[in-house]
Each structure stands twice: as structure tokens, then as C-alpha cells.
Amino acid sequence: MTAFTTRELEDALTRKLMINFGKTAEEAGETEMLRACALVLRDAMALRGVETRRETRQKEKKKVHYLSLEFLMGRSLQKNAYNLGVLPQLKEALEHLGFQAGDVFELEPDAGLGNGGLGRLAACYLDSMSTLEIPATGYSICYELGIFKQKIVEGQQVELPDAWKGIGSAWLLPKPEEARQVRFGGTLREFWNDGHLHIVQEGGTTVLAVPCDMEIAGYNTSHTNKLRLWDAKSPKPVDMSLYSKGEYLKATEDEAMAEVIAKVLYPDDNHEEGKSLRLKQQYFFVSATVQSIAEEHMAEFGTMANFHEKNVLQINDTHPALVIPELMRILLDDAGMGWDRAWEITTQSVTYTNHTVLAEALEKWPQALFERLLPRVWQITAEIARRWEEQCRAYFRDEEKVRDTAVVWDGVVRMANLCIAGGMRVNGVSALHSEILKNEVFQNACAMEPEKFTNVTNGVDHRRWLAEINPGLHGLVCDLAGGEAYLMDPQALGRLDAYADDREVLRRLSDIKRRNKEEFAAYAKQQQCVLLNPDAIFDVQVKRLHEYKRQLLNVLHIIALYQRLQDDPNAIARPRTFLFGAKAAPGYAVAKRIIRLINSLADQIDHDPICSGKLQVVFLENYRVSLAERLMPASEVSQQISTAGKEASGTGNMKFMMNGALTVGTLDGANVEMHDVLGDENMFLFGLRSNEAAALSREGYLPQRLYARDPVLHRVLDALKTGFRDGVSYEDLYRRLLFGDHGAPADEYLLLADFSAYCDAEKRMAEAYADPERWNAMSLRNIARSGVFAADRAVAEYADRIWHVPHRKVR
Ligand SMILES: *Cc1c(COP(=O)(O)O)cnc(C)c1O
């Protein structure tokens, strides 16, 4: 397959418009043109996908199956055109046909099938797996509604449904003939036949899983993988007799019950939702996925005995953990294997990545719910649990440790322990996080099976997060680091290091940032009617709203700055603009209060003439991938200030670094590895280390003492109680910090303990900014040393050390 010329694209688009919409290019609107673009590129990718899969089959290559309840894909048009090598041609073809390419691209909705970092990671890895020519498929649910759209109304978050598929479905290829049945509930019947005990599940309900495939093109290769999204349908045809009796609603009841499974993404980030619908979603997509993998394997090899040699099932956190009992079910019930052989194959096929140490995020299911909904899978899970417990008891001879490592205990099924028992490998997502897993969270299991535990630090797709979104910087990198080679070799970014004292280069870098800031300011004006001051430091914290991420610490510091400005209008030498973007889980009341506080403070500062041209706070509505793509190139300061030990890795931190923003951060998650390559001199580190934070929490932390002792902090916290010009008091947050509430300890995330160190880090940052040459040299070094955080490096590590599959080389 050769790439399209501009002319060929024009013809293909024109034909698509006529065939699909019955219109000429002159008659078509932008939305129709967007869909035509998607269809033309989808056709090209589908052809490549067929060829890739044919070759995979023919050479009997081992396949990676990446299961994730979330894929935060964002937009695809620019990405696919870029990877297919036709982006300039597509833009030109659109202009020739009378369209503004930018306007057409801007119409594409984000495919927001994820909450935050975990889902975006899965999307970045899909790109790298294709680019590295690894035969791989992603699996998830084809949610009708993705992550909600956030509106800010009177300072508060309002959630609106995200019906992305109207336009977004142009990328999807439904394959109804490949549908699978997934069974829930019912009872088990056991019988002997041919010397085997057979177990069948009878009664209950069946849901049809219909695959909708999205092709994933690699960069600079024809290798094309796919993301398989399962849609849920009722297998029963609508009952026409009820229809004719006028019982319309009843006739469609089954359909509605089945389809609710794929209706909506759960909007909780780093928080488990113990709802039966969530468990149904998990089993629905896992069962359909394992069935389709097993059937394909049987069709190819005629036996399941070599399944683990030809397949690896990577699970993104515990959400798809049911693959373990489901694969066992298929090996036992369908392939007729004995337990030991089935267990050997399963434990050599499944690998588990942990994404959090927060207790409230570790998934647990009530045994009764599990048993009722999934009777056969429960039987198998109970047997896995029994055998694992026996093994642990023999090893530890200590009931406390047996309890800690158990898969089922006290009527609760613990998914992380299931993954450790049934997985071949367990990895964390940054060096620090993996150490915490080994030494604390999974300490006992690790003592028993240390060889299972490893680390793969996260990475981001540097083609998307640098080259595509920041063309100015891409140009500079190409000029200094040997052209476009870095796109396939992210470590080539390191060549920029040599220019850290080259004034001409630093001036260019600074001009690029300035232009990006102006562009973002124009966008913010158009979208949100805010006027950003491009002379100010763009100091940014964008990520999900969560107390452990400490957006509130950022706010406390801004209040302190504001109060200093009240005392001395000349206290701020360099104007500062603080930008926030964050969605709060709709049920997370404290997170929503913090959003409101940010907006109250923004309003106060906005109306205070003392702050004019000096201090500004802006809450950016509806933070999502496409907004991040505009914001990263314009950012100068990256706030990565989680309580040490709580953020598993972070990936936002890496996107900022690649775009030359300097980090103000704690030694948490991947910030530790950023510090390893940057040193103290190229970032602004502050605060408690993870062992210190853990010790302080353990040994009795008294935030009230800090409040009593530190007059700056005292005054800041009092301002929360008083509130701002909109008259809203934040005494609830004040009390939560000083006294705790609803069973939460006072200042659980140690904001007050880190407050003065944080203010000091911000001060050091502002001083560094005052010396542009020093700042730009630091910025250049950040870009130069960000290559290690490319997803290509991370995926290559998975391929080499965990999946054992060959891949195209990256450095
Ligand atoms: C990268 C990204 C995240 C993850 O950000 P963290 O700072 O690592 O939590 C969340 N949301 C979106 C839209 C992203 O692009």
C-alpha cells in the first residue's frame, strides 16, 4: 500500500461524499466532510489490518491482547493521517475542496472512553504496539456515553452526557457476525459423559456482545492493529406479538436491559464502584474477549495446549481480572482439560499491571453478588482461592499472612490477590510505585513469589504529545537532533542537551513557547471568554480532581500570594497565571467543593484591581485529551504535587516535560525518575519523601500545630472559612484540613506539612524564571531528557521482559 497523493485523497473524499451522503464536495457540510475523511482513512487502515493479521497468522506469531476497561483515545483524524504519512496531503486536499482543515479537525469529538491516566496510557500503548510492529489487539466496551462533559455553572461542576458516537462511530467497523454470547445468573447442572464431569449454566440471561473494531495504524509502518470495542445487545428478537398487542415498552424491555451494560463509562478515577452493573460490565467484556481469542486460537491450531505460547493477556489494573477464571472456564469446560494443566496455561498467559496503592481503589466484590451473577466463574474462583490459600498456609504458617494474601476472605473477593495468584507477572508503573508494591502493599505475596514482581515505568506517545501538537518545537528538534529520526528513536532527543548554552537555540526555544502561549490564549478567549496574559508565567495543574493530587495545596499557595499582594502591591515581580483543569467524579463531594473553591478564588482575583496584570487564576472547563493537546505546548510550569507515595506514576508530568515545562513536584511516581535524569538543578523538588509521609501519617500527625505556629498558613486557612466575594464559605474544607470529617483523618494528604516547602519551591521557580537564559536552558534539558518517557521505550520493555514477543527496535 502506498501513501495517498493529495489528488488521490481529493478523489477518494469526493467519492465518499457521494456514496455515503449523496452530495458533492460543494454541497457537503463540515460534519459530512469529517465523516468522509474518517471513512477514507478507515478503508486504508482496514486493508493494512487485513494484511497484518494474515501475516501474523501465516507466521504463527505470538499475539498480545491488551484488556482495559478504559481507552482514552481522544481524536483520531489527525493521528491516523499522521501515522499513515498523509497529514499534509489531507490538509491540502481539504483546502482544495473548499474546507478549512483546522475547522474540520476541530469538529471531531474526543473518544473519551476513559477517566484519566490509566485510559490514556492504554491509548498511547496502542500506538506504540502498532509502531513497534507487535501483533496486538486492545479490548474494551463500546460505551455509548464516554466520560461526561463538564460545564462550570456558577462556579460549580455540572455533568452533561457525552454522546460521542454520532460522529465518532465513523472510525468503527461493526462485525455482528462475530458476536458472542455472555451468560449471567442461572443455575449449574452437572453431569458425567465420556468419563468427564460436565458443568453447564442454565437459565439466567444472555447478552450478545457485538464487536466494533477500530483500526490502529502504526507510524512509519504498514503494521496495523485494532481496538475491539464490545457493544451489548439483546439476543432475543423484539417480541412482535407484544407489539401487536400495543405493549411497546414491554416488547423492548429485554433489549433495554441488555444494552444498559454498554451504556456508560463509570466516571470514578482511582475509586472502586462496588455496583452490580460494574461487575456485569467487567464480565461482559472479559468473557466476550476470552471467547473470541480462544476461538481464533482453536481455529488456527486445533488445540488449546499451546495457548500460552501464542497469546499473552495483559490486564490494565484489576478491572479485567475475571480473565483468570474465565480462561480457566474455557480450558476446563470447553477444552476438557484437567485443573492442573488449565492452571499452568492460565498462569503463563496472564500478566497484571497495578495502577494504584489507594485502599479505596482496590477492587473487592461481595461473594454473594459474584456468586449470583457468575455461578460457574464463582465456582472456579473459589477453587483458585482454596488452592492458593493452601499454598500460602504451607509457606507462611502464619494465619495473619494467609488472611492478607487470600483471594476470598470474609465473604469478599479481592481482585488484586486474584491477579497475583493467577498472573505470570505483576508490575507497578514507576520505580517507586513498584517498590511500594513489593515492600508494603503486596509484601507477603512478594515474599512467596518474588520472581513475579517487576516494574515498567509508564511512557507517553511522543509522536502525539510532541511532534503532532507542537510543530514549532518539532521543527527545532529536527534541526538539532538529526531530523525526524527521533520519531522512531526518542532517545535521540538527548542531542538537544549539547545546546543548553547556545543563546541562539535558547532564543528560538523561547520564541516557540511565546507563540504557543499566544495561540493558547486565543483559543481560551474563543472558548471561554477569558483573557490570558501571555507575559505571565503559565503555571498549570491539569489532571483528575483528587485529594491525593493536592489541587488544594496549589490553591492554598495562591491564596498566600494573593494575601501578600494585599499587603504589598509590588510583592509580585513577574505576573503569574495559574491554570487548572480537572473533572471530579460526580459522587465525590469534596472534589467538587475544591472545583468551586478554585472558581471562587478566580473570581475574587479577577475583580481585585491590585491583581490586574499580576495574578490570575483560570479554571479551564472540560479537561480532556484534545484540550491537553492545546495546553501542553503553552505550559511553562507543571504542577506534580501529589502526597509522596500516592501517585503510581503520572503521565501528565511526562507530557509537560516533553514540551519544555519545568516541574514543581514531590518525589512521587515517575517524578523520581525525572529527578534521576534532571537533577535538583533542572526541576523544583519539595516536600516530604514517601517514607517520611508514611511515617508522619502513622505516628500521629497534628495539622493544628502547624496552623498555630505558621502565621502565613494561619491566615490562608482563615480565608477559606471567610470565603471570597461570592459569599461562599469553605469552612467545610477548613475543617477537613484541621479536624477531619466523615471518618477521614485531619489533613489526610499532608497539605499543611508540605505547605511551606511548597511555597519555597514556587519562590525558587519564580526566581529561575526571572533569568530567561537559565530558564530556557533548563527547559531545553527537560525536552532533551524526556526520551526515556516515550511509550515506545515502555512497550519495548513489556515486549522484552513480560510478553516475550519480538518487536521493531527502539533505542
Ligand atoms: C495525560 C492525561 C491524564 C493523566 O494526567 P496525570 O497528571 O498523570 O494524572 C489525565 N487526563 C488527560 C485528558 C490526559 O491527557
Side-chain angles (χ1 to χ4, degrees), residues 370-678:
F370 199 113
E371 197 169 349
R372 177 166 51 78
L373 212 58
L374 313 169
R376 180 57 181 149
V377 167
W378 161 252
Q379 255 184 355
I380 293 166
T381 304
E383 182 60 13
I384 292 171
R386 193 188 64 77
R387 290 175 181 237
W388 172 253
E389 190 176 317
E390 223 168 57
Q391 189 189 332
C392 293
R393 186 165 284 119
Y395 181 84
F396 296 125
R397 303 179 178 286
D398 176 343
E399 279 308 294
E400 188 55 35
K401 292 183 179 173
V402 170
R403 184 181 61 83
D404 176 64
T405 51
V407 173
V408 180
W409 197 265
D410 252 359
V412 175
V413 189
R414 301 144 159 197
M415 304 309 262
N417 286 350
L418 174 61
C419 291
I420 295 170
M424 156 173 72
R425 284 300 183 86
V426 178
N427 75 281
V429 289
S430 72
L432 174 65
H433 171 234
S434 294
E435 284 307 304
I436 292 173
L437 291 183
K438 286 194 279 189
N439 302 327
E440 293 164 45
V441 185
F442 301 139
Q443 181 186 17
N444 291 321
C446 181
M448 193 163 84
E449 306 200 289
E451 66 289 341
K452 274 191 186 176
F453 287 79
T454 186
N455 171 251
V456 182
T457 299
N458 282 169
V460 299
D461 169 9
H462 72 296
R463 290 171 289 275
R464 181 185 285 259
W465 292 107
L466 198 171
E468 285 173 45
I469 65 170
N470 196 341
L473 184 56
H474 170 70
L476 181 64
V477 172
C478 286
D479 289 350
L480 303 180
E484 296 199 327
Y486 88 97
L487 294 171
M488 297 293 298
D489 173 18
Q491 289 293 359
L493 285 167
R495 296 182 195 156
L496 264 64
D497 238 327
Y499 298 89
D501 49 15
D502 183 323
R503 288 195 164 180
E504 175 55 27
V505 166
L506 296 182
R507 200 193 44 72
R508 240 182 106 184
L509 180 63
S510 144
D511 289 349
I512 290 163
K513 185 64 80 179
R514 172 74 195 196
R515 219 166 12 253
N516 292 342
K517 286 169 74 180
E518 285 165 1
E519 270 178 33
F520 186 78
Y523 175 76
K525 182 177 171 201
Q526 179 232 327
Q527 292 287 309
Q528 240 176 277
C529 302
V530 290
L531 292 178
L532 302 181
N533 173 8
D535 291 326
I537 308 175
F538 279 16
D539 187 322
V540 183
Q541 187 171 23
V542 285
K543 48 183 73 249
R544 285 299 291 253
L545 202 310
H546 205 295
E547 285 167 282
Y548 87 82
K549 291 177 182 280
R550 300 203 292 192
Q551 282 94 350
L552 184 53
L553 177 59
N554 191 344
V555 171
L556 296 182
H557 166 255
I558 299 169
I559 295 174
L561 269 187
Y562 177 63
Q563 290 173 338
R564 263 180 53 208
L565 212 51
Q566 297 298 307
D567 300 344
D568 172 10
N570 297 315
I572 292 184
R574 163 66 69 166
R576 301 170 73 156
T577 290
F578 293 91
L579 297 159
F580 289 87
K583 288 176 182 172
Y588 189 173
V590 175
K592 288 181 145 180
R593 289 288 291 164
I594 294 169
I595 288 177
R596 191 169 192 191
L597 169 62
I598 296 168
N599 284 301
S600 290
L601 179 61
D603 171 72
Q604 172 78 24
I605 288 174
D606 212 29
H607 285 85
D608 190 333
I610 290 178
C611 300
S612 173
K614 295 195 175 112
L615 186 59
Q616 184 179 30
V617 174
V618 172
F619 189 92
L620 300 166
E621 222 168 49
N622 200 27
Y623 181 57
R624 62 197 184 283
V625 173
S626 57
L627 180 55
E629 289 173 347
R630 292 188 178 269
L631 183 55
M632 294 296 161
S635 295
E636 295 177 293
V637 177
S638 161
Q639 296 284 342
Q640 306 299 337
I641 60 177
S642 52
T643 315
K646 300 295 183 189
E647 186 74 273
S649 164
T651 48
N653 47 2
M654 302 169 185
K655 300 168 198 165
F656 280 106
M657 182 188 186
M658 266 175 200
N659 284 279
L662 303 192
T663 301
V664 174
T666 48
L667 269 182
D668 197 15
N671 296 355
V672 175
E673 287 143 274
M674 287 175 52
H675 178 247
D676 290 343
V677 296
L678 291 172

Side-chain angles (χ1 to χ4, degrees), residues 278-389:
R278 171 74 169 183
L279 186 59
K280 278 190 195 164
Q281 287 188 332
Q282 294 185 348
Y283 184 65
F284 166 76
F285 112 92
V286 161
S287 178
T289 298
V290 180
Q291 285 182 50
S292 77
I293 297 168
E295 275 171 43
E296 189 171 303
H297 184 82
M298 281 301 286
E300 210 175 328
F301 296 98
T303 171
M304 289 296 279
N306 66 341
F307 182 83
H308 57 295
E309 291 162 14
K310 297 295 174 188
N311 296 282
V312 56
L313 278 59
Q314 170 70 51
I315 61 178
N316 203 21
D317 217 324
T318 58
H319 316 148
L322 292 169
V323 286
I324 292 164
E326 179 67 3
L327 181 56
M328 284 295 285
R329 184 184 71 79
I330 286 169
L331 294 173
L332 296 168
D333 297 355
D334 298 350
M337 280 183 192
W339 183 279
D340 290 338
R341 185 73 193 119
W343 185 244
E344 208 178 299
I345 290 172
T346 300
T347 53
Q348 288 179 58
S349 300
V350 178
T351 72
Y352 157 55
T353 300
N354 173 283
H355 286 268
T356 178
V357 300
L358 298 184
E360 64 271 27
L362 293 182
E363 290 194 294
K364 297 179 209 73
W365 293 105
Q367 178 184 324
L369 170 67
F370 199 113
E371 197 169 349
R372 177 166 51 78
L373 212 58
L374 313 169
R376 180 57 181 149
V377 167
W378 161 252
Q379 255 184 355
I380 293 166
T381 304
E383 182 60 13
I384 292 171
R386 193 188 64 77
R387 290 175 181 237
W388 172 253
E389 190 176 317

